[in-house]
Amino acid sequence: MNQKDFLTIVHPFQDKIYRLARRLLTSEEEAQDATQEVLLKLWSKKKQLKKYRSAEAFAMTMTKNYCYDTLKAKRSSNVKLVHTNYKDSSYDTVKETEVSDSVNWVYKLMKELPEQQQLILQLRDVEQYTNAEIADQLEINEGTVRTALSRARKTIREGLMEKHRYGIK
């Protein structure tokens, strides 16, 4: 098999090899290296390439195995793998701000609840007391605790949904 025949066989799936390597290795440079290594291995096996039912399937298996070997080698040398291509430092800050804002909004909504609902919600959801323990502490029956808790949660849920709907408009 000459170079032209080889390229005719390999060219249609060359991009797939790269995409698979990119997905597994998460680094553009490593994916390019993996693609090159797989193509070199395919070239060295060019005489047997026509024997395979699907040269593409064979190439994809080689790519997967090569990438897994690369990842194993990294892991054994105690190098931590980081998905740098997906990491966005501004995203972390934005997400933290959104969570903080939501927590502050929940506390604001809690302050607007009737005093008994505030207390029950605090004891149940923040302090993690059981309904029975709350009923004993407040000297009310357990059904009243469940009802007040349900109403408080519903009010907060509706308040949060309203806030988020407002943000969408």
Side-chain angles (χ1 to χ4, degrees), residues 100-165:
S100 176
D101 184 45
S102 290
V103 168
N104 290 336
W105 190 254
V106 168
Y107 281 122
K108 180 184 177 290
L109 291 171
M110 281 178 68
K111 287 179 184 175
E112 295 173 1
L113 292 171
E115 190 174 323
Q116 185 183 40
Q117 288 182 10
Q118 281 183 40
L119 186 56
I120 291 172
L121 191 64
Q122 176 73 27
L123 291 172
R124 180 71 179 121
D125 291 342
V126 178
E127 305 296 331
Q128 301 292 307
Y129 284 102
T130 65
N131 290 349
E133 292 169 330
I134 295 169
D136 288 341
Q137 287 178 12
L138 299 180
E139 297 176 351
I140 56 177
N141 80 36
E142 213 172 318
T144 304
V145 171
R146 282 194 300 272
T147 301
L149 186 60
S150 175
R151 288 179 181 162
R153 287 176 176 165
K154 181 180 178 189
T155 302
I156 289 180
R157 182 174 36 251
E158 287 172 351
L160 284 172
M161 287 172 64
E162 186 177 313
K163 177 186 184 290
H164 288 289
R165 259 184 272 150

Side-chain angles (χ1 to χ4, degrees), residues 24-78:
L24 293 173
L25 297 175
T26 68
S27 162
E28 201 169 311
E29 294 81 19
E30 288 178 337
Q32 289 171 349
D33 290 345
T35 303
Q36 188 173 13
E37 286 297 319
V38 169
L39 291 174
L40 282 172
K41 285 182 182 181
L42 286 171
W43 176 253
S44 69
K45 296 181 182 284
K46 64 184 175 207
K47 291 179 183 172
Q48 296 110 2
L49 209 52
K50 287 191 176 185
K51 294 178 185 175
Y52 292 104
R53 254 189 314 177
S54 171
E56 181 178 343
F58 179 63
M60 299 308 275
T61 301
M62 285 177 69
T63 304
K64 178 187 67 161
N65 291 338
Y66 179 84
C67 292
Y68 286 158
D69 289 345
T70 302
L71 291 171
K72 282 180 194 173
K74 278 185 174 184
R75 214 170 282 131
S76 68
S77 64
N78 294 326

